[in-house]
Amino acid sequence: MARIVVVGAGVGGLATAARLAATGHEVTVFERADTVGGKLGRHVHDAPAGSFHFDTGPSLLTLPEVFHDLFEATGAKLDEYLDLVPVDPIARHVFPDGATLDSCADPAEFAARVGAAFGDRAAADWQRLWRRAARVWDASHSDVLRRAVDSPLDLAPLAWRLGDLAAIGPGRTLRGLGRRHLSDPRLRMLLDRYATYTGADPRRAPAALVAVPYAELTFGGWYLRGGLGTLADALLTRCLDLGVVVRTGTAVTRIDAAGGRVHGVRLAGVAAPVPADVVVANVDALTVYRDLLPSPRRLAGLTDRSLAGFVLLLGVAGDTGLAHHNVFFPRDYDAEFDAVFGHPGRGIRARPAPDPTVFVTVADDPAVRPEGHEAWFVLVNAARHGTATGAVDWRRPGLADAYADRVLDVLAERGVDVRDRLAFREVRTPADLDATTGAPGGSIYGTAGGLLRPANRGPAAGLWLVGGSSHPGGGLPMVTLSAQIVANEIGPAWA
């Protein structure tokens, strides 16, 4: 039996803790916040009309088999804890010319919808891209997403499969893939958006990210009744039932790793260290290497940060008729990415995008809003918080409220004006995400979406990294797979 300390009670940390406890290890989780869940955040706003409940992180669960595997590995059934509701359409896309396209988890039906909206050629283009996406998914699902990748050499066994390599398109970008396969600019715009699912600019993101829409539109998307935050509750319950000690409101300030091996962690306000044979860090990889290790190292590649998000939480009176997920695209997508990421070489500083893509989530769930109202989660791609060329100082007085006004104006310009129907609004900036979750600059996904994320194996023996900033990447299923990888590498207590 190993004494294992998990730093951070996000989904990755809790999933790892549950898997390790189920195989006989002694596990303690330290979480600096007062609640568990990490970026799988929740917020309740009490208004005169009643209580509004918001998921402030992920709003869709994909690849449900990953979660079924997790619960079964810890001796339980997913359906005993969570109520999965299929989302259809998965998202409603509204394009600058007013055209709409509803995505769904039936490839043939979606191709038919593309044809109905944009014509037969567009449908044929999409089906050709889809065949390539399937090859990328098949190549990456078992060989990349479910095993440790410590260096590019670990991907070498894939190289002999020339068909897979051609589909993955090393050196090509997602934007380039769209231009090669899709003649309709609206479909190119839809494909570009999936780069933002990994926090990246589609003009730089690898073409292999075409696997992201393939997974979503093949295996479907689910909502959890009561909100996605119920997943954190379920994982906490599993951990406690398995004997895991979970201590919230307890910050880890240092990982002791003298002599190339972990010995434990140090806690804020506590003189004596907490001994450990293994430490699993469910915090941003940049924070691990820069702040928690005795001597900061390996920062190369970690400072290229992903995009962040600017959020409005709205109480809206009446029924607006929106889908569960709605994407309102701008006329100039490149202008948005220039604003979000900046471009030091061209003298372009990051700034709030004046005409951004607006993503609106409206859950049709009586448990999250009072009768006669809707709870809106509004997300806009945003530059990370900071003072560098590629960042925005979101603490600047008046900026957040002014930009919130602009986002509401943009929605009104695109046909959804709720400015006179608001029961309340709350604003969350990247600076707030940095403060509440410890994500540097409020970057949602750690680094900016390359195929190779920081390795799960840390630089000291017994140190492991788990979560969205490490391999295999961000998003609930990837984070949960990272927990499976780390638990498998550590191994069971009785082996």
Side-chain angles (χ1 to χ4, degrees):
M1 178 186 293
R3 297 169 301 174
I4 298 177
V5 165
V6 178
V7 184
V11 169
L14 293 175
T16 308
R19 282 184 173 273
L20 292 172
T23 59
H25 291 291
E26 176 188 317
V27 186
T28 301
V29 180
F30 295 111
E31 167 57 51
R32 72 172 197 163
D34 293 329
T35 57
V36 303
K39 292 174 185 171
L40 188 65
R42 289 169 285 186
H43 177 69
V44 178
H45 183 103
D46 291 320
S51 294
F52 293 78
H53 298 252
F54 297 92
D55 287 316
T56 59
S59 60
L60 187 72
L61 187 141
T62 57
L63 298 179
E65 75 274 8
V66 171
F67 303 93
H68 283 288
D69 289 348
L70 167 62
F71 278 79
E72 288 179 3
T74 66
K77 297 290 185 182
L78 179 67
D79 296 341
E80 297 172 353
Y81 290 84
L82 299 168
D83 186 3
L84 277 68
V85 181
V87 176
D88 186 13
I90 295 173
R92 176 163 296 155
H93 303 88
V94 183
F95 296 93
D97 63 356
T100 63
L101 179 63
D102 286 354
S103 59
C104 62
D106 181 333
E109 170 61 22
F110 184 61
R113 293 181 185 182
V114 170
F118 305 144
D120 292 343
R121 180 182 176 185
D125 287 348
W126 183 261
Q127 287 172 317
R128 186 168 56 254
L129 177 72
W130 203 247
R131 289 191 290 270
R132 179 166 181 164
R135 287 157 56 198
V136 175
W137 173 258
D138 290 342
S140 62
H141 179 242
S142 59
D143 292 317
V144 178
L145 302 182
R146 289 183 175 270
R147 68 185 185 94
V149 176
D150 294 330
S151 77
L153 294 177
D154 291 329
L155 299 179
L158 295 176
W160 65 269
R161 286 181 270 183
L162 298 180
D164 292 343
L165 198 63
I168 290 170
R172 293 178 179 169
T173 65
L174 191 67
R175 167 65 62 81
L177 187 69
R179 286 182 172 176
R180 180 175 180 178
H181 287 273
L182 303 173
S183 57
D184 193 291
R186 293 162 294 191
L187 284 184
R188 292 178 180 178
M189 188 173 283
L190 184 148
L191 181 64
D192 275 354
R193 175 159 178 81
Y194 284 95
T196 67
Y197 282 39
T198 67
D201 182 335
R203 301 169 298 185
R204 298 172 53 205
L209 291 182
V210 71
V212 178
Y214 181 84
E216 179 178 289
L217 303 182
T218 298
F219 304 109
W222 277 260
Y223 172 71
L224 302 181
R225 201 176 304 278
L228 270 288
T230 57
L231 175 59
D233 295 334
L235 290 174
L236 176 61
T237 299
R238 288 305 305 139
C239 284
L240 297 178
D241 288 348
L242 291 164
V244 177
V245 176
V246 180
R247 292 178 55 184
T248 57
T250 307
V252 171
T253 60
R254 183 75 60 177
I255 298 171
D256 287 335
R261 162 164 286 283
V262 298
H263 305 285
V265 299
R266 295 183 179 271
L267 308 178
V270 179
V274 177
D277 305 303
V278 174
V279 173
V280 178
N282 180 212
V283 294
D284 194 285
L286 178 60
T287 300
V288 174
Y289 285 107
R290 184 187 63 191
D291 302 332
L292 296 183
L293 290 174
S295 55
R297 68 193 85 178
R298 298 193 184 186
L299 296 184
L302 295 178
T303 54
D304 183 16
R305 307 304 292 167
S306 82
L307 56 76
F310 182 89
V311 171
L312 300 180
L313 305 178
L314 306 178
V316 178
D319 181 355
T320 58
L322 293 185
H324 189 106
H325 296 113
N326 308 269
V327 183
F328 297 90
F329 285 108
R331 294 195 175 277
D332 189 344
Y333 218 0
D334 280 1
E336 177 180 346
F337 290 117
D338 285 342
V340 169
F341 289 98
H343 198 304
R346 291 162 51 193
I348 301 175
R349 289 191 61 87
R351 63 198 185 283
D355 187 33
T357 302
V358 184
F359 177 70
V360 181
T361 298
V362 186
D364 184 16
D365 182 355
V368 302
R369 42 76 175 169
E371 182 72 24
H373 292 77
E374 295 175 341
W376 280 30
F377 174 85
V378 180
L379 173 68
V380 170
N381 296 329
R384 70 186 188 276
H385 173 63
T387 57
T389 301
V392 168
D393 181 6
W394 289 102
R395 298 287 190 207
R396 193 166 76 234
L399 175 60
D401 281 335
Y403 195 51
D405 290 339
R406 177 57 193 156
V407 171
L408 291 173
D409 290 344
V410 167
L411 277 173
E413 292 165 7
R414 296 179 192 168
V416 185
D417 189 354
V418 294
R419 291 172 295 187
D420 62 350
R421 299 169 60 177
L422 296 182
F424 65 89
R425 84 176 189 191
E426 292 191 32
V427 180
R428 303 287 181 89
T429 73
D432 297 319
L433 185 65
D434 185 335
T436 56
T437 70
S443 293
I444 299 173
Y445 302 96
T447 53
L451 281 180
L452 288 177
R453 298 276 182 163
N456 302 116
R457 189 184 303 273
L463 176 61
W464 300 88
L465 277 68
V466 70
S469 70
S470 57
H471 177 73
L476 289 175
M478 297 301 106
V479 166
T480 305
L481 286 176
S482 77
Q484 181 178 348
I485 290 168
V486 168
N488 288 344
E489 291 290 317
I490 293 171
W494 50 73

